[in-house]
Each structure stands twice: as C-alpha cells, then as structure tokens.
PDB file of all heavy atoms in Angstrom:
ATOM      1  N   GLY A 752      29.430  95.284 -30.401  1.00 78.00           N
ATOM      2  CA  GLY A 752      30.014  94.070 -30.895  1.00 78.00           C
ATOM      3  C   GLY A 752      29.183  92.870 -30.641  1.00 78.00           C
ATOM      4  O   GLY A 752      28.265  92.868 -29.796  1.00 78.00           O
ATOM      5  N   PRO A 753      29.572  91.725 -31.247  1.00 75.00           N
ATOM      6  CA  PRO A 753      28.799  90.403 -31.021  1.00 75.00           C
ATOM      7  C   PRO A 753      28.817  89.938 -29.556  1.00 75.00           C
ATOM      8  O   PRO A 753      27.938  89.196 -29.192  1.00 75.00           O
ATOM      9  CB  PRO A 753      29.526  89.532 -32.039  1.00 75.00           C
ATOM     10  CG  PRO A 753      30.840  90.056 -32.268  1.00 75.00           C
ATOM     11  CD  PRO A 753      30.705  91.520 -32.155  1.00 75.00           C
ATOM     12  N   TYR A 754      29.885  90.246 -28.858  1.00 75.00           N
ATOM     13  CA  TYR A 754      29.974  89.856 -27.469  1.00 75.00           C
ATOM     14  C   TYR A 754      29.714  90.952 -26.499  1.00 75.00           C
ATOM     15  O   TYR A 754      30.046  90.814 -25.261  1.00 75.00           O
ATOM     16  CB  TYR A 754      31.356  89.191 -27.224  1.00 75.00           C
ATOM     17  CG  TYR A 754      31.611  88.026 -28.116  1.00 75.00           C
ATOM     18  CD1 TYR A 754      32.468  88.150 -29.261  1.00 75.00           C
ATOM     19  CD2 TYR A 754      31.056  86.709 -27.856  1.00 75.00           C
ATOM     20  CE1 TYR A 754      32.723  87.085 -30.098  1.00 75.00           C
ATOM     21  CE2 TYR A 754      31.296  85.656 -28.693  1.00 75.00           C
ATOM     22  CZ  TYR A 754      32.130  85.825 -29.805  1.00 75.00           C
ATOM     23  OH  TYR A 754      32.464  84.766 -30.583  1.00 75.00           O
ATOM     24  N   GLY A 755      29.127  92.041 -26.937  1.00 82.00           N
ATOM     25  CA  GLY A 755      28.920  93.172 -26.065  1.00 82.00           C
ATOM     26  C   GLY A 755      27.524  93.130 -25.341  1.00 82.00           C
ATOM     27  O   GLY A 755      26.838  92.093 -25.452  1.00 82.00           O
ATOM     28  N   GLY A 756      27.165  94.184 -24.767  1.00 89.00           N
ATOM     29  CA  GLY A 756      25.940  94.236 -24.028  1.00 89.00           C
ATOM     30  C   GLY A 756      25.986  95.282 -22.980  1.00 89.00           C
ATOM     31  O   GLY A 756      26.920  96.185 -23.002  1.00 89.00           O
ATOM     32  N   TRP A 757      25.150  95.170 -22.003  1.00 89.00           N
ATOM     33  CA  TRP A 757      25.092  96.177 -20.877  1.00 89.00           C
ATOM     34  C   TRP A 757      25.544  95.598 -19.565  1.00 89.00           C
ATOM     35  O   TRP A 757      25.429  94.434 -19.320  1.00 89.00           O
ATOM     36  CB  TRP A 757      23.604  96.659 -20.650  1.00 89.00           C
ATOM     37  CG  TRP A 757      23.124  97.462 -21.791  1.00 89.00           C
ATOM     38  CD1 TRP A 757      22.571  97.064 -23.034  1.00 89.00           C
ATOM     39  CD2 TRP A 757      23.074  98.888 -21.872  1.00 89.00           C
ATOM     40  NE1 TRP A 757      22.215  98.086 -23.769  1.00 89.00           N
ATOM     41  CE2 TRP A 757      22.451  99.203 -23.150  1.00 89.00           C
ATOM     42  CE3 TRP A 757      23.421  99.886 -21.028  1.00 89.00           C
ATOM     43  CZ2 TRP A 757      22.313 100.564 -23.536  1.00 89.00           C
ATOM     44  CZ3 TRP A 757      23.278 101.187 -21.445  1.00 89.00           C
ATOM     45  CH2 TRP A 757      22.730 101.531 -22.682  1.00 89.00           C
ATOM     46  N   PHE A 758      26.180  96.519 -18.720  1.00 85.00           N
ATOM     47  CA  PHE A 758      26.638  96.049 -17.437  1.00 85.00           C
ATOM     48  C   PHE A 758      26.767  97.266 -16.494  1.00 85.00           C
ATOM     49  O   PHE A 758      26.700  98.334 -17.020  1.00 85.00           O
ATOM     50  CB  PHE A 758      28.013  95.364 -17.519  1.00 85.00           C
ATOM     51  CG  PHE A 758      29.129  96.282 -17.998  1.00 85.00           C
ATOM     52  CD1 PHE A 758      29.972  96.914 -17.096  1.00 85.00           C
ATOM     53  CD2 PHE A 758      29.308  96.481 -19.395  1.00 85.00           C
ATOM     54  CE1 PHE A 758      30.974  97.799 -17.547  1.00 85.00           C
ATOM     55  CE2 PHE A 758      30.369  97.280 -19.813  1.00 85.00           C
ATOM     56  CZ  PHE A 758      31.197  97.946 -18.935  1.00 85.00           C
ATOM     57  N   VAL A 759      26.796  97.005 -15.203  1.00 81.00           N
ATOM     58  CA  VAL A 759      26.972  98.062 -14.219  1.00 81.00           C
ATOM     59  C   VAL A 759      28.448  98.202 -13.946  1.00 81.00           C
ATOM     60  O   VAL A 759      29.127  97.217 -13.570  1.00 81.00           O
ATOM     61  CB  VAL A 759      26.181  97.708 -12.955  1.00 81.00           C
ATOM     62  CG1 VAL A 759      26.474  98.684 -11.830  1.00 81.00           C
ATOM     63  CG2 VAL A 759      24.705  97.807 -13.255  1.00 81.00           C
ATOM     64  N   ASP A 760      28.897  99.418 -13.958  1.00 74.00           N
ATOM     65  CA  ASP A 760      30.323  99.696 -13.625  1.00 74.00           C
ATOM     66  C   ASP A 760      30.451  99.640 -12.078  1.00 74.00           C
ATOM     67  O   ASP A 760      30.094 100.517 -11.428  1.00 74.00           O
ATOM     68  CB  ASP A 760      30.636 101.084 -14.212  1.00 74.00           C
ATOM     69  CG  ASP A 760      32.102 101.336 -13.943  1.00 74.00           C
ATOM     70  OD1 ASP A 760      32.847 100.594 -13.257  1.00 74.00           O
ATOM     71  OD2 ASP A 760      32.620 102.434 -14.470  1.00 74.00           O
ATOM     72  N   LYS A 761      30.998  98.552 -11.594  1.00 62.00           N
ATOM     73  CA  LYS A 761      31.090  98.376 -10.156  1.00 62.00           C
ATOM     74  C   LYS A 761      32.057  99.391  -9.477  1.00 62.00           C
ATOM     75  O   LYS A 761      31.972  99.733  -8.352  1.00 62.00           O
ATOM     76  CB  LYS A 761      31.645  96.978  -9.818  1.00 62.00           C
ATOM     77  CG  LYS A 761      30.640  95.917 -10.093  1.00 62.00           C
ATOM     78  CD  LYS A 761      31.148  94.548  -9.593  1.00 62.00           C
ATOM     79  CE  LYS A 761      30.073  93.505  -9.622  1.00 62.00           C
ATOM     80  NZ  LYS A 761      30.498  92.192  -9.073  1.00 62.00           N
ATOM     81  N   ALA A 762      32.979  99.972 -10.291  1.00 61.00           N
ATOM     82  CA  ALA A 762      33.937 100.921  -9.713  1.00 61.00           C
ATOM     83  C   ALA A 762      33.214 102.223  -9.394  1.00 61.00           C
ATOM     84  O   ALA A 762      33.795 103.061  -8.708  1.00 61.00           O
ATOM     85  CB  ALA A 762      35.100 101.216 -10.768  1.00 61.00           C
ATOM     86  N   MET A 763      32.008 102.461 -10.008  1.00 57.00           N
ATOM     87  CA  MET A 763      31.316 103.700  -9.736  1.00 57.00           C
ATOM     88  C   MET A 763      30.062 103.528  -8.944  1.00 57.00           C
ATOM     89  O   MET A 763      29.191 104.438  -8.901  1.00 57.00           O
ATOM     90  CB  MET A 763      31.022 104.356 -11.065  1.00 57.00           C
ATOM     91  CG  MET A 763      32.208 104.695 -11.937  1.00 57.00           C
ATOM     92  SD  MET A 763      31.788 105.399 -13.538  1.00 57.00           S
ATOM     93  CE  MET A 763      30.917 106.886 -13.001  1.00 57.00           C
ATOM     94  N   SER A 764      29.842 102.376  -8.419  1.00 55.00           N
ATOM     95  CA  SER A 764      28.571 102.170  -7.591  1.00 55.00           C
ATOM     96  C   SER A 764      28.869 101.482  -6.275  1.00 55.00           C
ATOM     97  O   SER A 764      29.884 100.836  -6.079  1.00 55.00           O
ATOM     98  CB  SER A 764      27.624 101.267  -8.452  1.00 55.00           C
ATOM     99  OG  SER A 764      28.257 100.062  -8.695  1.00 55.00           O
ATOM    100  N   LEU A 765      27.910 101.680  -5.368  1.00 53.00           N
ATOM    101  CA  LEU A 765      27.924 101.028  -4.117  1.00 53.00           C
ATOM    102  C   LEU A 765      27.453  99.548  -4.184  1.00 53.00           C
ATOM    103  O   LEU A 765      26.641  99.194  -5.028  1.00 53.00           O
ATOM    104  CB  LEU A 765      27.171 101.734  -3.068  1.00 53.00           C
ATOM    105  CG  LEU A 765      27.665 103.162  -2.753  1.00 53.00           C
ATOM    106  CD1 LEU A 765      26.621 103.816  -1.869  1.00 53.00           C
ATOM    107  CD2 LEU A 765      29.011 103.234  -2.175  1.00 53.00           C
ATOM    108  N   PRO A 766      27.998  98.653  -3.301  1.00 53.00           N
ATOM    109  CA  PRO A 766      27.419  97.307  -3.338  1.00 53.00           C
ATOM    110  C   PRO A 766      26.011  97.294  -2.892  1.00 53.00           C
ATOM    111  O   PRO A 766      25.455  98.203  -2.156  1.00 53.00           O
ATOM    112  CB  PRO A 766      28.257  96.547  -2.323  1.00 53.00           C
ATOM    113  CG  PRO A 766      28.857  97.636  -1.397  1.00 53.00           C
ATOM    114  CD  PRO A 766      28.925  98.855  -2.282  1.00 53.00           C
ATOM    115  N   PRO A 767      25.200  96.258  -3.326  1.00 54.00           N
ATOM    116  CA  PRO A 767      23.780  96.182  -2.938  1.00 54.00           C
ATOM    117  C   PRO A 767      23.646  96.026  -1.410  1.00 54.00           C
ATOM    118  O   PRO A 767      24.418  95.409  -0.808  1.00 54.00           O
ATOM    119  CB  PRO A 767      23.231  94.966  -3.665  1.00 54.00           C
ATOM    120  CG  PRO A 767      24.456  94.190  -3.935  1.00 54.00           C
ATOM    121  CD  PRO A 767      25.553  95.074  -4.069  1.00 54.00           C
ATOM    122  N   VAL A 768      22.632  96.725  -0.884  1.00 56.00           N
ATOM    123  CA  VAL A 768      22.331  96.615   0.581  1.00 56.00           C
ATOM    124  C   VAL A 768      20.814  96.332   0.664  1.00 56.00           C
ATOM    125  O   VAL A 768      20.037  97.023   0.093  1.00 56.00           O
ATOM    126  CB  VAL A 768      22.619  97.988   1.364  1.00 56.00           C
ATOM    127  CG1 VAL A 768      22.235  97.839   2.848  1.00 56.00           C
ATOM    128  CG2 VAL A 768      24.134  98.293   1.180  1.00 56.00           C
ATOM    129  N   ASN A 769      20.504  95.327   1.432  1.00 61.00           N
ATOM    130  CA  ASN A 769      19.095  94.975   1.585  1.00 61.00           C
ATOM    131  C   ASN A 769      18.495  95.546   2.814  1.00 61.00           C
ATOM    132  O   ASN A 769      18.941  95.266   3.909  1.00 61.00           O
ATOM    133  CB  ASN A 769      19.002  93.354   1.715  1.00 61.00           C
ATOM    134  CG  ASN A 769      19.388  92.704   0.410  1.00 61.00           C
ATOM    135  OD1 ASN A 769      19.068  93.196  -0.597  1.00 61.00           O
ATOM    136  ND2 ASN A 769      20.150  91.567   0.529  1.00 61.00           N
ATOM    137  N   PHE A 770      17.571  96.435   2.621  1.00 65.00           N
ATOM    138  CA  PHE A 770      16.839  97.156   3.771  1.00 65.00           C
ATOM    139  C   PHE A 770      15.454  96.472   3.967  1.00 65.00           C
ATOM    140  O   PHE A 770      14.869  95.974   3.054  1.00 65.00           O
ATOM    141  CB  PHE A 770      16.632  98.609   3.367  1.00 65.00           C
ATOM    142  CG  PHE A 770      17.910  99.409   3.308  1.00 65.00           C
ATOM    143  CD1 PHE A 770      18.287  99.978   2.086  1.00 65.00           C
ATOM    144  CD2 PHE A 770      18.747  99.535   4.424  1.00 65.00           C
ATOM    145  CE1 PHE A 770      19.424 100.720   1.982  1.00 65.00           C
ATOM    146  CE2 PHE A 770      19.842 100.373   4.281  1.00 65.00           C
ATOM    147  CZ  PHE A 770      20.200 100.848   3.128  1.00 65.00           C
ATOM    148  N   THR A 771      15.094  96.501   5.181  1.00 65.00           N
ATOM    149  CA  THR A 771      13.675  96.113   5.468  1.00 65.00           C
ATOM    150  C   THR A 771      12.769  97.364   5.030  1.00 65.00           C
ATOM    151  O   THR A 771      13.330  98.431   4.767  1.00 65.00           O
ATOM    152  CB  THR A 771      13.466  95.882   6.952  1.00 65.00           C
ATOM    153  OG1 THR A 771      13.648  97.121   7.696  1.00 65.00           O
ATOM    154  CG2 THR A 771      14.381  94.795   7.547  1.00 65.00           C
ATOM    155  N   ALA A 772      11.539  97.023   4.915  1.00 63.00           N
ATOM    156  CA  ALA A 772      10.606  98.174   4.515  1.00 63.00           C
ATOM    157  C   ALA A 772      10.667  99.314   5.542  1.00 63.00           C
ATOM    158  O   ALA A 772      10.693 100.440   5.052  1.00 63.00           O
ATOM    159  CB  ALA A 772       9.187  97.589   4.430  1.00 63.00           C
ATOM    160  N   GLU A 773      10.734  98.990   6.764  1.00 67.00           N
ATOM    161  CA  GLU A 773      10.783 100.083   7.753  1.00 67.00           C
ATOM    162  C   GLU A 773      12.165 100.851   7.683  1.00 67.00           C
ATOM    163  O   GLU A 773      12.224 102.131   7.751  1.00 67.00           O
ATOM    164  CB  GLU A 773      10.699  99.508   9.217  1.00 67.00           C
ATOM    165  CG  GLU A 773       9.328  98.962   9.538  1.00 67.00           C
ATOM    166  CD  GLU A 773       9.087  97.555   8.933  1.00 67.00           C
ATOM    167  OE1 GLU A 773      10.126  96.946   8.440  1.00 67.00           O
ATOM    168  OE2 GLU A 773       7.958  97.084   8.987  1.00 67.00           O
ATOM    169  N   GLU A 774      13.244 100.146   7.434  1.00 72.00           N
ATOM    170  CA  GLU A 774      14.567 100.839   7.220  1.00 72.00           C
ATOM    171  C   GLU A 774      14.532 101.795   6.000  1.00 72.00           C
ATOM    172  O   GLU A 774      15.047 102.878   6.031  1.00 72.00           O
ATOM    173  CB  GLU A 774      15.631  99.810   7.155  1.00 72.00           C
ATOM    174  CG  GLU A 774      15.921  99.074   8.403  1.00 72.00           C
ATOM    175  CD  GLU A 774      16.863  97.882   8.272  1.00 72.00           C
ATOM    176  OE1 GLU A 774      17.035  97.418   7.163  1.00 72.00           O
ATOM    177  OE2 GLU A 774      17.423  97.412   9.299  1.00 72.00           O
ATOM    178  N   ALA A 775      13.970 101.220   4.910  1.00 68.00           N
ATOM    179  CA  ALA A 775      13.953 102.034   3.700  1.00 68.00           C
ATOM    180  C   ALA A 775      13.124 103.319   3.890  1.00 68.00           C
ATOM    181  O   ALA A 775      13.393 104.337   3.396  1.00 68.00           O
ATOM    182  CB  ALA A 775      13.436 101.219   2.529  1.00 68.00           C
ATOM    183  N   ILE A 776      11.931 103.132   4.606  1.00 66.00           N
ATOM    184  CA  ILE A 776      11.073 104.358   4.841  1.00 66.00           C
ATOM    185  C   ILE A 776      11.828 105.308   5.716  1.00 66.00           C
ATOM    186  O   ILE A 776      11.788 106.549   5.544  1.00 66.00           O
ATOM    187  CB  ILE A 776       9.740 103.803   5.526  1.00 66.00           C
ATOM    188  CG1 ILE A 776       8.951 103.097   4.488  1.00 66.00           C
ATOM    189  CG2 ILE A 776       8.962 105.058   6.000  1.00 66.00           C
ATOM    190  CD1 ILE A 776       7.649 102.475   5.031  1.00 66.00           C
ATOM    191  N   ALA A 777      12.527 104.833   6.760  1.00 72.00           N
ATOM    192  CA  ALA A 777      13.259 105.728   7.699  1.00 72.00           C
ATOM    193  C   ALA A 777      14.332 106.517   6.929  1.00 72.00           C
ATOM    194  O   ALA A 777      14.437 107.753   7.131  1.00 72.00           O
ATOM    195  CB  ALA A 777      13.917 104.941   8.810  1.00 72.00           C
ATOM    196  N   ILE A 778      15.038 105.838   6.038  1.00 72.00           N
ATOM    197  CA  ILE A 778      16.034 106.560   5.275  1.00 72.00           C
ATOM    198  C   ILE A 778      15.465 107.527   4.331  1.00 72.00           C
ATOM    199  O   ILE A 778      15.875 108.718   4.175  1.00 72.00           O
ATOM    200  CB  ILE A 778      16.919 105.559   4.532  1.00 72.00           C
ATOM    201  CG1 ILE A 778      17.724 104.661   5.418  1.00 72.00           C
ATOM    202  CG2 ILE A 778      17.846 106.275   3.505  1.00 72.00           C
ATOM    203  CD1 ILE A 778      18.403 103.532   4.745  1.00 72.00           C
ATOM    204  N   ALA A 779      14.336 107.205   3.697  1.00 68.00           N
ATOM    205  CA  ALA A 779      13.733 108.060   2.699  1.00 68.00           C
ATOM    206  C   ALA A 779      13.058 109.240   3.369  1.00 68.00           C
ATOM    207  O   ALA A 779      13.137 110.370   2.868  1.00 68.00           O
ATOM    208  CB  ALA A 779      12.568 107.237   1.966  1.00 68.00           C
ATOM    209  N   VAL A 780      12.539 109.103   4.629  1.00 65.00           N
ATOM    210  CA  VAL A 780      12.022 110.227   5.416  1.00 65.00           C
ATOM    211  C   VAL A 780      13.106 111.172   5.674  1.00 65.00           C
ATOM    212  O   VAL A 780      12.977 112.416   5.585  1.00 65.00           O
ATOM    213  CB  VAL A 780      11.268 109.736   6.591  1.00 65.00           C
ATOM    214  CG1 VAL A 780      10.916 110.891   7.495  1.00 65.00           C
ATOM    215  CG2 VAL A 780       9.960 109.080   6.179  1.00 65.00           C
ATOM    216  N   ALA A 781      14.300 110.669   6.108  1.00 68.00           N
ATOM    217  CA  ALA A 781      15.384 111.549   6.457  1.00 68.00           C
ATOM    218  C   ALA A 781      15.906 112.271   5.224  1.00 68.00           C
ATOM    219  O   ALA A 781      16.148 113.520   5.371  1.00 68.00           O
ATOM    220  CB  ALA A 781      16.543 110.762   7.072  1.00 68.00           C
ATOM    221  N   LEU A 782      15.916 111.614   4.128  1.00 69.00           N
ATOM    222  CA  LEU A 782      16.340 112.318   2.850  1.00 69.00           C
ATOM    223  C   LEU A 782      15.262 113.324   2.391  1.00 69.00           C
ATOM    224  O   LEU A 782      15.663 114.459   1.910  1.00 69.00           O
ATOM    225  CB  LEU A 782      16.562 111.246   1.760  1.00 69.00           C
ATOM    226  CG  LEU A 782      17.711 110.316   1.946  1.00 69.00           C
ATOM    227  CD1 LEU A 782      17.715 109.222   0.815  1.00 69.00           C
ATOM    228  CD2 LEU A 782      19.058 111.093   1.936  1.00 69.00           C
ATOM    229  N   ALA A 783      13.972 113.023   2.596  1.00 62.00           N
ATOM    230  CA  ALA A 783      13.004 113.895   2.227  1.00 62.00           C
ATOM    231  C   ALA A 783      13.043 115.170   3.098  1.00 62.00           C
ATOM    232  O   ALA A 783      12.514 116.192   2.596  1.00 62.00           O
ATOM    233  CB  ALA A 783      11.647 113.245   2.371  1.00 62.00           C
ATOM    234  N   GLY A 784      13.628 115.164   4.271  1.00 59.00           N
ATOM    235  CA  GLY A 784      13.694 116.370   5.058  1.00 59.00           C
ATOM    236  C   GLY A 784      14.791 117.395   4.612  1.00 59.00           C
ATOM    237  O   GLY A 784      14.880 118.387   5.161  1.00 59.00           O
ATOM    238  N   ALA A 785      15.557 116.933   3.630  1.00 61.00           N
ATOM    239  CA  ALA A 785      16.692 117.848   3.167  1.00 61.00           C
ATOM    240  C   ALA A 785      15.988 118.878   2.227  1.00 61.00           C
ATOM    241  O   ALA A 785      15.671 118.639   1.107  1.00 61.00           O
ATOM    242  CB  ALA A 785      17.703 117.055   2.413  1.00 61.00           C
ATOM    243  N   GLU A 786      15.925 120.128   2.767  1.00 55.00           N
ATOM    244  CA  GLU A 786      15.385 121.188   2.015  1.00 55.00           C
ATOM    245  C   GLU A 786      16.386 122.178   1.547  1.00 55.00           C
ATOM    246  O   GLU A 786      17.644 121.928   1.696  1.00 55.00           O
ATOM    247  CB  GLU A 786      14.305 121.881   2.793  1.00 55.00           C
ATOM    248  CG  GLU A 786      13.129 120.979   3.170  1.00 55.00           C
ATOM    249  CD  GLU A 786      12.046 121.706   3.955  1.00 55.00           C
ATOM    250  OE1 GLU A 786      12.194 122.981   4.270  1.00 55.00           O
ATOM    251  OE2 GLU A 786      11.047 121.027   4.342  1.00 55.00           O
ATOM    252  N   SER A 787      16.084 123.233   0.916  1.00 49.00           N
ATOM    253  CA  SER A 787      17.011 124.220   0.322  1.00 49.00           C
ATOM    254  C   SER A 787      17.964 124.800   1.434  1.00 49.00           C
ATOM    255  O   SER A 787      19.029 125.229   1.119  1.00 49.00           O
ATOM    256  CB  SER A 787      16.351 125.356  -0.396  1.00 49.00           C
ATOM    257  OG  SER A 787      15.509 126.022   0.540  1.00 49.00           O
ATOM    258  N   GLY A 788      17.535 124.775   2.748  1.00 57.00           N
ATOM    259  CA  GLY A 788      18.344 125.337   3.741  1.00 57.00           C
ATOM    260  C   GLY A 788      19.296 124.327   4.307  1.00 57.00           C
ATOM    261  O   GLY A 788      20.128 124.713   5.143  1.00 57.00           O
ATOM    262  N   ALA A 789      19.287 123.136   3.932  1.00 69.00           N
ATOM    263  CA  ALA A 789      20.257 122.122   4.410  1.00 69.00           C
ATOM    264  C   ALA A 789      21.413 121.836   3.529  1.00 69.00           C
ATOM    265  O   ALA A 789      21.212 121.831   2.271  1.00 69.00           O
ATOM    266  CB  ALA A 789      19.421 120.741   4.650  1.00 69.00           C
TER     267      ALA A 789
END
C-alpha cells in the first residue's frame, strides 16, 4: 500500500547489543567451536 514498506518485527528479535571488536571475536570463536558432536 501507499503507506507500507519494510520493518523489523520487534516481537521476534532481540534488542541491539553493542559489542567491542574483542567481545564479538570471543563470541564468534565460541560459536565456531560448536561441531556436530555438540
């Protein structure tokens, strides 16, 4: 519609969290360690 568009469904998402570069890498490394046996 004329007043439509795109948006993020807040009910289905987490609020934004600001990580430092080191924190983001630490989380990503932990996630990367999840293999088929985990």
Side-chain angles (χ1 to χ4, degrees):
Y754 300 102
W757 290 84
F758 64 97
V759 170
D760 187 350
K761 287 188 174 182
M763 298 179 62
S764 61
L765 296 174
V768 179
N769 294 320
F770 295 115
T771 65
E773 291 80 9
E774 289 169 341
I776 290 172
I778 294 172
V780 167
L782 293 173
E786 299 182 358
S787 59

